[in-house]
Amino acid sequence: MSNEESWFGRFVDTLPTKGWFKFLSKYVVTPYWLWKDPKPKLPGGPRVSSQPSDNVQRMMNLIMPLKDPSEIGKARAVMAIAQNVDEIFGGLDNVGTVHFARFVILGDKLCMISVYDGDFSNYIRDFIVTVGSVFDAIMAEIEGGSALIPTEQNVEAFIEWVHEHDLFQAPDFPTELFTLQDQAKGIGPDGPVHDLSTLPRNLVLQFHSNPDISLGGGYRAYPGFSAAQIREKLGVGW
Amino acid sequence: MSAEFDPNAIQGNIVRGYGIHHVRYLMLEVTDRKAAREFLVASLNGENPNVPIIQRETEWEENPEVCFNISLTFPGLQALGVSKKNLATFPIEFRDGMASRALKIGDFGDSAPTKWAPPFDEPDRIHLIASIYSDSEEHLDKVQTQVAEAFNILGTRDGRDLAKSKVVFGYVDSISQPKFKGIHDKSQNKNDELLDPLGTILLGYPTRMEGVYFGIPSPSELGFNGSFNAFRVLSQDASGFENFLTEAAEFLLKHPNLKDVLPPGGARQVGKGFSRKTALREIVAAQIVGRWRNGVPYELSPDTMEPDPKVSLTNFDYNRNSRCPVGAHMRRCNPRGGPIVQRVANLTRRIVRRGMSYGPDFDPKNPDDRERGLLGNFLGANLGAQFEAVMYDWLNLGLQHPDITGSNDPLLGANSVDTSWFDMTTRTGGKIRLHGLPRFVVCRGGAYTFLPSIAAINYLSQLKN
Amino acid sequence: MTTNSDKAVAKEMVDIMHRPDGDPKLRPIHTNGIGVTGFFKASETAAEYSNSEPFQGNKIPVTIRFSNASGNKTRHDGWSDIRGMATRFHLNGPQDFDLIAMTLQEFFTPDVPSTLEFLKAARPTPYHSATPLQKIRDYLSLKVPKRNRYPHEDLSPDDGGKKYANKHKFAQLPIFQTASIGAPVSYARAAYHAVHTFIITAPNGKRNWVRFTWQPVAGVRPRPIGPDNKPDDDYLNQEIRDRLSDRETARFTLMMSLGEQEDEVNNCTKPWPLHRTRIVMGMLTLNHVLDAKAQESKIEKMSYNPCLLPEGIEPSDDPILHIRRTAYEISSKERHANRCPFAGGQ
């Protein structure tokens, strides 16, 4: 009789669905591996690339912890943004590199999700220039945000803060996770080859340092074109 | 935050150029912290005849025989003992260093840091880059010997101005630089461009971006009045460029719309004694850069390099009907007030360039492939907002205009023959696309450096740990 | 030009690929397949990118062979396996166009020596199931245990490949993806990638480096394996017959990605980033399944070749693409198939 057909074999196959085994995995197995093989936090946002289509329609998932996550605190965040609609459009129309942007309140976080063209620092900096007051209003509602107000006079620090709170974008090709984790530890592409079977564990452990992540860099219907190129093509000016 | 500008408080060659025609750069490693600090003390007070004096930004009547200045990399600040807490207040680009930012600024392929020439292949060892400007070889050697007493010299690079202010590619250069409010720069008397606020180049002053101040690293003694520099050794393929001009001219000669670029009998109008092919080569060269090789701006004189009456070399702007291509090198790096996608960024990404050529002269009649190029300094108060912003979004990628997005700068860009393109403009408002531009400029090394104020040099010299 | 040493290597490859449970008279891999015919019509945009005959908008008859990648002569449709889709565009010009695609996004190895090495390493081995203790050890290591053996699965196709991938980074992505590739509910409900880079020329002379993918209009749909882990062995052929009966059709969109500077054009182990510009090049409509006789005489004797390209579509310098040309020729000869499109040609 083969292994999987034995009573014990069938029992082992069902282990992952058993409550006590899940408990064991969560409270013993995972902590053990976190101790043994800790993963540094992976940086957020799209990765730097030399190639044109990697540099347009880039995704930002800025996740900001609310200073006051109560109902009242959330309402204050809503007000801060609602009062700045003119400012936001002013920025959108004059920075020219943003495809879409939206705000979402999710649990105790305020999220700003956008699709932009070009360099991340330029994008944030150009927005500080045009709508610095909006960022100030938002940061006033965010945990640790006060130190960055006024953003116009903390340009570099604010850009770094945003970068830190932009979600890590898991690679579109799963095995690239090895490369990124190596990179975070200062190991180059010529480093040792990982055991492929450890890929699931490496993902599990990464969640400890990056509890929220973006699944890949997103899917695009018309990749490769900037907002201005699309506007030009549609005949709506840029 | 804003302050009165005091020319004695900063090093020379930052807000104005020296006008000296030879330079030697010394790439230095701090191997003896104490000796390095003593050197800095002496370089400020001038009490030791065997230590060169830091040249300040003070107007002089006669050129000094030698001008000595220093700049520091991030590892250099570490090596001199700046505290961790203060180091962390420097901007991320500078902390990372040029080699780590390679992909952002187009340094991949042949320009990748792994292929850089020594000593740039060991970026962490380069702590200071000192510059000696002098028109006498003797002085260059003398100062170098003096510096060697306190630092380990990892390498040197000599540069010189080529005859008639030309650069390796045969263009007249140094025509205009940003000039700053409150600074009198004789060399820029004929420059009609808008004045730039001092915060473009120095930390602690208002910038062109309304309300925005770049962060001053701590303590303010160290950061205030400082500036940043992207020092780059850029090899320039002069014979490759000349070949490309010939290829492009031959392509245009066969092009059905040739008459829109060069009407029949128009060659002589382009330049005295030009054949059709020569005229086309020069038109391509002029459109690639945005200036004819004699410096005349293409925008003001699209049909001839010898306009009569003469035109201003600096007073022009771009518009939607410009004859200067949107993709031209000069327009990409400095779109002036012309239409760009990031309207808010008009005039904000200005870079001060101080460069000299290296390597042998190039004779287009007897072309050779020996290495030659530019020792470039790209200065600004914020590397991310100026140098990198221009390199990443404008020079490469071409995000500032939908018609060039996805292409790289025709002269400086990280091009490859298979994918590159450049749109020429025609007299009738049309375009002709050139393909197959190779990479003419390859980075051979470089570093991001901090140009400390006089007070900052003093601060560094007094560190005790 | 095919050199003698290419021939020797290709011959060795073909030899290695033959499995003990295969059939020397059949294809060494992608042994079980089915022939389908239909037509392709290029999109309006296609001609802007390519001056080649398939992309000028005419209705082009096609012959397609769908297949399971395994070299086992016995069909096991429900087993986890790569599927193939070989398409011949019957053109008016002197040369037809074969587009050979598979459900894996990339190939296992980047060059000829590594391919030979990989084929040797990945030879099927007797099936060894994971013991319950091994599985527990895997759970405790936060690994996913080896899947259970299918009934009658005597040879393991993956073990050698997995070992190889633990030594070679380039093989990790394809091996990882193969391990979870599963089975589609239909040959018409999987996406197929041509993997290699081709060079096309636009009417204005502009050359583009491109990769092709067939996207099923009906959508991609994998087949769940039941709790008893006993997949059906034979359903794909009947499914496509049923699907195309009563004048019904199945459609695929041909998508083309444009390569950019620095993209891996000669390395088919590296899929391009997902955000390369994608062009809709045309629509394939399948409307007829070949009957058993035609299947035997036409499809099984047909010699596809990934280097059979019409004017205006050139192969890249991908060494795998070029060795495949020779390997397909050899395999075609060995199983006495119809004249290989290249035979005697050069």
Side-chain angles (χ1 to χ4, degrees):
Chain A
M1 196 162 75
S2 65
N3 285 315
E4 47 271 67
E5 284 158 26
S6 72
W7 167 86
F8 188 51
R10 281 198 303 272
F11 170 73
V12 167
D13 282 351
T14 61
L15 276 182
T17 61
K18 298 271 193 277
W20 66 269
F21 195 80
K22 284 187 194 163
F23 184 90
L24 179 79
S25 304
K26 184 172 171 188
Y27 292 104
V28 180
V29 179
T30 306
Y32 164 78
W33 283 105
L34 280 171
W35 165 78
K36 187 153 184 222
D37 186 13
K39 301 290 177 197
K41 185 183 171 192
L42 291 175
R47 288 172 274 283
V48 180
S49 159
S50 61
Q51 294 160 299
S53 70
D54 295 340
N55 283 312
V56 291
Q57 301 184 26
R58 315 178 91 205
M59 312 282 174
M60 182 176 83
N61 305 287
L62 175 58
I63 309 298
M64 303 174 276
L66 285 167
K67 203 180 267 175
D68 172 6
S70 72
E71 289 81 354
I72 294 173
K74 288 180 183 177
R76 281 172 57 97
V78 171
M79 290 299 285
I81 291 159
Q83 283 166 350
N84 281 297
V85 173
D86 267 356
E87 285 85 341
I88 292 171
F89 267 104
L92 208 60
D93 289 343
N94 290 304
V95 172
T97 53
V98 178
H99 294 252
F100 308 99
R102 62 203 168 100
F103 290 96
V104 173
I105 290 178
L106 186 70
D108 52 3
K109 312 246 176 69
L110 172 64
C111 315
M112 183 184 169
I113 297 162
S114 68
V115 180
Y116 64 95
D117 299 324
D119 176 44
F120 167 79
S121 320
N122 291 346
Y123 161 51
I124 301 298
R125 193 183 305 106
D126 285 350
F127 263 92
I128 296 173
V129 176
T130 40
V131 298
S133 61
V134 180
F135 283 136
D136 292 351
I138 293 172
M139 292 317 281
E141 305 301 327
I142 300 302
E143 190 80 48
S146 317
L148 298 163
I149 303 174
T151 50
E152 286 173 338
Q153 293 185 15
N154 291 287
V155 179
E156 297 90 343
F158 182 65
I159 293 173
E160 276 193 60
W161 187 91
V162 173
H163 185 57
E164 260 168 46
H165 289 77
D166 192 359
L167 290 187
F168 165 64
Q169 303 187 355
D172 289 315
F173 304 112
T175 47
E176 220 181 282
L177 184 65
F178 287 140
T179 318
L180 296 175
Q181 287 176 331
D182 280 353
Q183 236 169 43
K185 290 180 174 171
I187 303 168
D190 300 328
V193 188
H194 291 264
D195 177 351
L196 196 50
S197 68
T198 62
L199 189 60
R201 180 171 77 223
N202 280 284
L203 178 62
V204 170
L205 300 183
Q206 193 61 53
F207 273 108
H208 187 71
S209 310
N210 297 77
D212 301 319
I213 69 165
S214 161
L215 305 188
Y219 305 93
R220 294 158 183 79
Y222 39 88
F225 298 98
S226 70
Q229 283 180 307
I230 291 161
R231 292 188 61 91
E232 184 183 50
K233 208 65 173 171
L234 294 176
V236 293
W238 52 270
Chain B
M1 235 173 149
S2 185
E4 282 285 299
F5 172 68
D6 169 12
N8 283 308
I10 65 166
Q11 297 195 75
N13 209 30
I14 296 172
V15 296
R16 295 178 304 167
Y18 281 147
I20 298 174
H21 302 295
H22 292 84
V23 67
R24 178 169 298 166
Y25 293 101
L26 311 175
M27 275 54 76
L28 306 176
E29 181 182 29
V30 175
T31 45
D32 177 347
R33 192 180 271 186
K34 189 161 158 277
R37 286 174 181 160
E38 282 167 9
F39 178 95
L40 294 183
V41 171
S43 74
L44 289 182
N45 65 25
E47 284 166 12
N48 183 341
N50 294 320
V51 172
I53 301 172
I54 299 276
Q55 179 65 48
R56 272 82 161 173
E57 167 55 39
T58 320
E59 250 185 295
W60 58 60
E61 291 303 314
E62 263 176 59
N63 282 4
E65 284 179 318
V66 59
C67 294
F68 176 75
N69 292 100
I70 60 162
S71 67
L72 298 115
T73 63
F74 187 70
L77 293 176
Q78 285 174 313
L80 284 173
V82 175
S83 72
K84 267 211 174 108
K85 191 169 141 260
N86 289 332
L87 284 170
T89 62
F90 279 82
I92 182 86
E93 306 84 26
F94 176 70
R95 295 192 329 253
D96 283 350
M98 185 181 282
S100 303
R101 311 285 288 188
L103 212 47
K104 251 194 155 171
I105 55 177
D107 288 348
F108 52 86
D110 289 343
S111 292
T114 48
K115 296 189 179 166
W116 284 358
F120 302 104
D121 55 346
E122 291 182 276
D124 288 346
R125 286 185 66 191
I126 299 177
H127 294 155
L128 285 87
I129 297 183
S131 62
I132 318 167
Y133 281 73
S134 177
D135 285 327
S136 127
E137 179 97 21
E138 201 184 315
H139 280 108
L140 297 176
D141 292 342
K142 188 179 136 201
V143 174
Q144 180 178 340
T145 316
Q146 293 172 339
V147 173
E149 293 294 314
F151 298 92
N152 176 26
I153 299 183
L154 300 167
T156 68
R157 286 275 180 170
D158 281 13
R160 65 196 171 103
D161 282 329
L162 301 185
K164 299 179 190 160
S165 311
K166 287 195 174 179
V167 293
V168 166
F169 291 125
Y171 295 83
V172 172
D173 196 14
S174 313
I175 292 168
S176 77
Q177 289 283 359
K179 41 178 204 175
F180 300 102
K181 285 179 188 157
I183 308 246
H184 178 231
D185 184 350
K186 276 184 284 190
S187 76
Q188 297 297 314
N189 276 351
K190 287 190 189 155
N191 179 351
D192 295 326
E193 288 185 61
L194 280 175
L195 291 176
D196 284 296
L198 208 49
T200 306
I201 181 87
L202 290 179
L203 291 167
Y205 302 87
T207 66
R208 170 71 74 186
M209 295 178 271
E210 194 179 324
V212 169
Y213 284 79
F214 293 128
I216 302 175
S218 310
S220 89
E221 263 177 288
L222 175 61
F224 176 63
N225 266 332
S227 186
F228 289 97
N229 181 21
F231 174 73
R232 288 169 77 70
V233 181
L234 301 171
S235 87
Q236 302 177 323
D237 179 6
S239 65
F241 184 65
E242 296 298 326
N243 289 343
F244 178 77
L245 295 180
T246 305
E247 276 171 33
E250 283 163 359
F251 166 78
L252 290 170
L253 278 170
K254 282 184 255 162
H255 200 279
N257 299 340
L258 170 62
K259 65 172 194 322
D260 299 339
V261 181
L262 184 65
R268 292 224 185 97
Q269 197 202 342
V270 174
K272 271 191 210 90
F274 279 6
S275 67
R276 280 184 79 68
K277 193 163 162 184
T278 308
L280 285 168
R281 287 178 95 255
E282 291 309 313
I283 291 172
V284 173
Q287 292 212 3
I288 280 181
V289 165
R291 284 188 194 279
W292 296 91
R293 292 214 256 194
N294 64 5
V296 169
Y298 196 77
E299 181 67 14
L300 294 181
S301 177
D303 300 323
T304 173
M305 63 193 296
E306 287 145 356
D308 183 20
K310 288 195 163 135
V311 295
S312 162
L313 294 182
T314 53
N315 187 10
F316 57 90
D317 208 343
Y318 305 109
N319 59 58
R320 297 205 182 266
N321 301 316
S322 280
R323 283 298 308 280
C324 176
V326 238
H329 168 64
M330 212 170 72
R331 189 169 170 185
R332 291 181 90 119
C333 296
N334 179 17
R336 299 184 174 223
I340 58 171
V341 170
Q342 309 95 328
R343 287 175 275 288
V344 58
N346 267 115
L347 307 170
T348 66
R349 300 183 182 177
R350 299 291 282 131
I351 297 170
V352 174
R353 295 166 301 132
R354 307 253 179 261
M356 283 200 219
S357 298
Y358 73 91
D361 279 349
F362 178 72
D363 176 5
K365 292 194 185 74
N366 294 299
D368 70 88
D369 290 331
R370 283 179 290 169
E371 185 179 330
R372 50 172 67 79
L374 181 81
L375 303 175
N377 296 282
F378 303 90
L379 280 66
N382 188 297
L383 288 164
Q386 294 164 302
F387 178 71
E388 288 193 349
V390 168
M391 294 299 283
Y392 195 40
D393 277 356
W394 286 0
L395 207 132
N396 292 319
L397 188 59
L399 201 57
Q400 67 272 47
H401 198 295
D403 293 353
I404 58 169
T405 302
S407 75
N408 300 328
D409 187 286
L411 189 69
L412 229 75
N415 283 314
S416 80
V417 175
D418 293 337
T419 52
S420 59
W421 50 269
F422 171 70
D423 284 340
M424 292 181 66
T425 59
T426 68
R427 302 158 75 101
T428 50
K431 283 180 201 169
I432 293 182
R433 182 163 289 192
L434 302 179
H435 288 284
L437 296 93
R439 188 172 194 152
F440 297 118
V441 177
V442 169
C443 183
R444 301 291 292 131
Y448 283 162
T449 61
F450 176 64
L451 308 176
S453 68
I454 302 301
I457 298 174
N458 183 55
Y459 170 85
L460 293 169
S461 74
Q462 301 301 318
L463 288 172
K464 293 285 179 261
N465 54 344
Chain C
M1 266 305 289
T2 309
T3 65
N4 284 337
S5 74
D6 280 351
K7 273 188 190 155
V9 173
K11 168 86 175 98
E12 195 178 350
M13 285 179 184
V14 174
D15 289 348
I16 298 170
M17 280 188 278
H18 276 291
R19 290 167 49 132
D21 54 8
D23 181 341
K25 293 193 294 296
L26 299 175
R27 289 176 168 89
I29 53 169
H30 291 272
T31 308
N32 285 290
I34 184 165
V36 181
T37 56
F39 59 90
F40 175 80
K41 252 182 99 88
S43 70
E44 276 179 36
T45 338
E48 288 172 32
Y49 289 87
S50 170
N51 57 14
S52 191
E53 191 189 329
F55 299 122
Q56 302 315 302
N58 305 322
K59 191 169 168 179
I60 295 168
V62 297
T63 307
I64 288 166
R65 182 175 184 269
F66 288 112
S67 59
N68 297 341
S70 169
N72 186 338
K73 66 172 181 285
T74 316
R75 285 192 80 87
H76 293 290
D77 288 343
W79 290 11
S80 179
D81 194 4
I82 297 163
R83 316 291 152 158
M85 174 178 173
T87 306
R88 172 155 305 165
F89 297 70
H90 301 283
L91 303 178
N92 291 321
Q95 194 126 289
D96 286 342
F97 175 29
D98 280 358
L99 191 61
I100 317 287
M102 63 170 171
T103 49
L104 192 62
Q105 286 170 321
E106 63 284 314
F107 193 63
F108 297 96
T109 44
D111 55 26
V112 173
S114 59
T115 305
L116 207 53
E117 206 179 80
F118 172 77
L119 288 174
K120 286 178 190 163
R123 273 184 174 131
T125 46
Y127 204 101
H128 291 292
S129 304
T131 65
L133 282 177
Q134 275 168 334
K135 285 185 181 174
I136 290 173
R137 197 181 306 141
D138 281 343
Y139 291 142
L140 295 180
S141 305
L142 297 172
K143 293 180 180 178
V144 178
K146 190 174 171 178
R147 72 166 163 76
N148 288 337
R149 199 175 79 111
Y150 303 132
H152 313 294
E153 189 176 24
D154 303 322
L155 291 177
S156 163
D158 304 338
D159 289 358
K162 279 184 186 158
K163 271 188 208 149
Y164 185 82
N166 284 340
K167 286 186 224 130
H168 301 277
K169 281 186 188 176
F170 56 74
Q172 294 206 314
L173 182 60
I175 290 291
F176 181 79
Q177 291 183 330
T178 307
S180 57
I181 204 158
V185 295
S186 162
Y187 280 131
R189 299 214 56 182
Y192 299 85
H193 312 275
V195 172
H196 302 288
T197 307
F198 297 92
I199 304 155
I200 58 167
T201 307
N204 65 8
K206 166 79 178 128
R207 284 150 61 83
N208 270 307
W209 278 252
V210 301
R211 287 182 176 180
F212 293 102
T213 291
W214 291 114
Q215 289 292 1
V217 174
V220 173
R221 190 176 176 91
R223 184 181 171 95
I225 291 186
D228 58 353
N229 194 40
K230 286 188 182 125
D232 288 348
D233 275 347
D234 191 358
Y235 66 92
L236 285 171
N237 288 357
Q238 193 52 45
E239 196 284 337
I240 197 86
R241 280 188 206 108
D242 294 346
R243 185 178 285 267
L244 300 186
S245 63
D246 298 331
R247 287 184 296 145
E248 292 291 334
T249 60
R251 293 178 302 158
F252 286 85
T253 307
L254 181 62
M255 300 299 292
M256 180 179 83
S257 298
L258 293 182
E260 295 181 5
Q261 182 177 359
E262 304 276 302
D263 271 336
E264 298 274 4
V265 293
N266 297 324
N267 182 345
C268 52
T269 65
K270 292 255 167 102
W272 288 347
L274 303 185
H275 21 94
R276 292 291 172 262
T277 300
R278 289 196 310 274
I279 317 289
V280 178
M281 291 299 277
M283 179 72 77
L284 175 73
T285 305
L286 306 180
N287 52 20
H288 177 68
V289 179
L290 296 180
D291 59 30
K293 209 176 128 207
Q295 173 73 25
E296 194 58 39
S297 62
K298 214 173 151 192
I299 289 299
E300 292 316 307
K301 291 291 174 195
M302 193 158 158
S303 299
Y304 286 98
N305 196 301
C307 286
L308 183 66
L309 303 169
E311 201 178 326
I313 304 177
E314 301 160 54
S316 58
D317 291 331
D318 184 340
I320 304 297
L321 179 55
H322 290 271
I323 200 72
R324 277 177 81 184
R325 169 182 168 154
T326 318
Y328 277 60
E329 280 171 0
I330 290 170
S331 159
S332 153
K333 218 183 263 174
E334 286 186 353
R335 63 192 164 83
H336 306 293
N338 292 334
R339 192 167 161 274
C340 170
F342 290 112
Q346 16 215 314

